[in-house]
Amino acid sequence: MTIRVVIVDDQALVRAGFRMVLDSQPDLEVVGEAIDGADALRVLARTEADVVVMDVRMPTMDGVEATRRLCAERSAAAPRVLVLTTFDTEADAFAALQAGASGFLLKNVPPEDLLAAIRVVAQGDSVVAPSITRRLLDRFAGQLGTAPRTDPRLAQLTEREREVLLLVAQGLSNGEIADRVHVAEATVKTHVGRILAKLQLRDRVQAVVLAYESGLVIPGG
């Protein structure tokens, strides 16, 4: 199956570079380009895409706002967003995760990492390592709001699912969680899938954000 990609960046050379890398792959197809967030929304209104490679800092409408509007649709057909950032824009990347992005990468990643990330995001998973996710959440916890808010969806979780969610939010991988609760890694993967379905979340990044927003995990604790 071909993964359809839209590239959003205000620098023409960056877009051209990404297109060259993506077009070299038989399973990836660049179906559109945009120069900023507003342009991206116009392009995606008429173009079907699976993944949007989104820059953060752009004129007119930045990548965070564009991501928020794209992910607000919450439809199965909505594209997943992979945010790109630089070393000094971690706060922007975290804001994009809150807005609904499925993950982020630094712009200087090797081409093979970018390709792998696009494929992972297209499959519905996250490209943000759990340990990095927690570090970002701890560092920018103040952006989550002044006080935790109860989410009624959490009541749907079983005791084991709630335990797994807590461990995911603490930065543990599926393998590490399996060792902690003494079950098979495949069982943990099943639990994570059920958690995402019950909480109506797209990936484990959003699950981590929800755990922090609801006060299940205390930033820095």
Side-chain angles (χ1 to χ4, degrees):
M1 185 182 68
T2 300
I3 300 172
R4 301 162 298 182
V5 182
V6 169
I7 302 170
V8 185
D9 197 290
D10 60 330
Q11 298 184 44
L13 284 177
V14 172
R15 296 197 306 274
F18 286 160
R19 176 181 280 273
M20 181 175 65
V21 172
L22 271 56
D23 282 345
S24 69
Q25 304 298 303
D27 61 330
L28 301 178
E29 178 186 5
V30 178
V31 295
E33 296 183 16
I35 61 174
D36 57 41
D39 190 29
L41 295 179
R42 289 191 292 268
V43 170
L44 289 162
R46 62 177 186 269
T47 306
E48 292 187 355
D50 302 302
V51 177
V52 179
V53 178
M54 182 82 73
D55 187 20
V56 174
R57 299 276 180 98
M58 296 180 291
T60 307
M61 181 186 294
D62 64 23
V64 173
E65 179 59 26
T67 297
R68 182 177 296 109
R69 297 192 186 191
L70 285 174
C71 295
E73 298 178 15
R74 293 187 177 277
S75 68
R80 297 181 180 276
V81 180
L82 171 61
V83 171
L84 296 182
T85 184
T86 57
F87 283 107
D88 58 352
T89 57
E90 287 179 337
D92 294 326
F94 175 68
L97 294 179
Q98 281 190 299
S102 293
F104 73 91
L105 291 176
L106 298 175
K107 276 192 173 182
N108 63 349
V109 295
E112 57 269 24
D113 288 355
L114 173 62
L115 295 172
I118 291 173
R119 294 182 178 111
V120 168
V121 168
Q123 293 173 359
D125 208 341
S126 164
V127 296
V128 185
S131 59
I132 297 175
T133 302
R134 185 181 184 190
R135 189 157 63 246
L136 280 172
L137 287 167
D138 284 348
R139 180 171 178 181
F140 301 109
Q143 299 182 22
L144 289 171
T146 57
R149 59 176 185 271
T150 301
D151 193 310
R153 292 174 294 178
L154 293 174
Q156 303 176 57
L157 301 182
T158 66
E159 184 176 346
R160 175 49 61 87
E161 289 168 350
R162 192 180 182 93
E163 180 183 14
V164 170
L165 174 59
L166 286 171
L167 295 173
V168 167
Q170 290 168 14
L172 275 65
S173 67
N174 285 353
E176 291 169 334
I177 294 173
D179 292 339
R180 181 74 65 87
V181 300
H182 309 294
V183 298
E185 186 171 348
T187 301
V188 175
K189 186 175 181 180
T190 298
H191 284 314
V192 172
R194 289 174 178 169
I195 290 168
L196 297 181
K198 289 182 177 181
L199 300 181
Q200 299 177 305
L201 302 174
R202 297 178 65 166
D203 51 48
R204 65 192 295 142
V205 171
Q206 291 190 338
V208 173
V209 172
L210 184 146
Y212 275 73
E213 287 180 329
S214 63
L216 289 179
V217 177
I218 305 300

